[in-house]
Amino acid sequence: MSVAFTKEDSADTASETMLPDRPVSPHQNLVTQAGLNALELQLQQAREAYETAQKIEEVNERRRQGAIPLRDARYFAARVRTAQVMPDPTSADTVAFGGTVTFRRDDGRVQTYRIVGEDEADPKAGSISFISPVARLLMGKAVGDVAGSSGQELEIITIS
């Protein structure tokens, strides 16, 4: 859109206020209850940040300050709307969504991760997305099973 018909000072200001939407995964939006709660909190924070930006008097600054929160609010609203809360696993017999698995890699490293939804995954904090390659290898396997693909083998030690 041309800035000739808008109140922005320049094309730069216009481009700063029209941010593209955050990409939404094509996968099912499976979440734990904690994951849904986190999405709802992030949606609320984005809406509050947008409302705060709308109180700025100078129009160009208001648009600049509101661009990111508005984009984030659209993203989190879509993620909350499509979220499918998965119940906690009822058994520790096999690796499942919401469960925690400890495994040994080929190189001897032992790692423990909880398998969660995409938006709640944080490997540094001990959680990985159910669509990650490691989670896909482990899902449905039992203690003692070895899961492997393309030269990588993971031996399941415990499931909880």
Side-chain angles (χ1 to χ4, degrees):
M1 174 166 86
S2 170
V3 295
F5 300 105
T6 64
K7 294 183 180 182
E8 286 92 1
D9 293 335
S10 67
D12 291 337
T13 302
S15 68
E16 289 174 6
T17 61
M18 293 186 281
L19 299 177
D21 283 339
R22 290 175 61 172
V24 175
S25 172
H27 301 281
Q28 284 184 294
N29 186 13
L30 305 181
V31 297
T32 63
Q33 184 60 55
L36 178 59
N37 295 346
L39 285 172
E40 289 170 339
L41 176 63
Q42 290 171 306
L43 174 57
Q44 177 185 349
Q45 290 170 338
R47 286 177 173 163
E48 288 171 359
Y50 180 74
E51 288 172 13
T52 298
Q54 294 310 296
K55 295 175 184 171
I56 297 172
E57 287 191 35
E58 204 278 310
V59 68
N60 290 321
E61 187 60 21
R62 179 173 59 238
R63 289 178 180 165
R64 270 193 288 276
Q65 294 297 318
I68 291 174
L70 182 59
R71 177 194 62 187
D72 289 348
R74 286 191 309 263
Y75 174 81
F76 290 120
R79 297 303 280 174
V80 166
R81 186 176 54 256
T82 61
Q84 299 174 39
V85 177
M86 299 297 291
D88 289 334
T90 56
S91 163
D93 293 340
T94 60
V95 178
F97 186 95
T100 301
V101 58
T102 301
F103 58 91
R104 181 178 295 110
R105 291 184 177 267
D106 285 343
D107 62 8
R109 288 182 295 154
V110 174
Q111 295 179 299
T112 301
Y113 290 109
R114 181 166 186 230
I115 299 175
V116 297
E118 291 179 87
D119 291 309
E120 58 189 312
D122 182 357
K124 290 181 182 178
S127 60
I128 57 174
S129 168
F130 74 100
I131 65 162
S132 72
V134 169
R136 288 187 301 188
L137 282 175
L138 297 172
M139 297 282 276
K141 302 289 192 280
V143 172
D145 286 352
V146 176
S149 160
S150 57
Q152 172 178 258
E153 288 190 347
L154 309 172
E155 178 187 356
I156 299 172
I157 300 170
T158 62
I159 302 169
S160 58

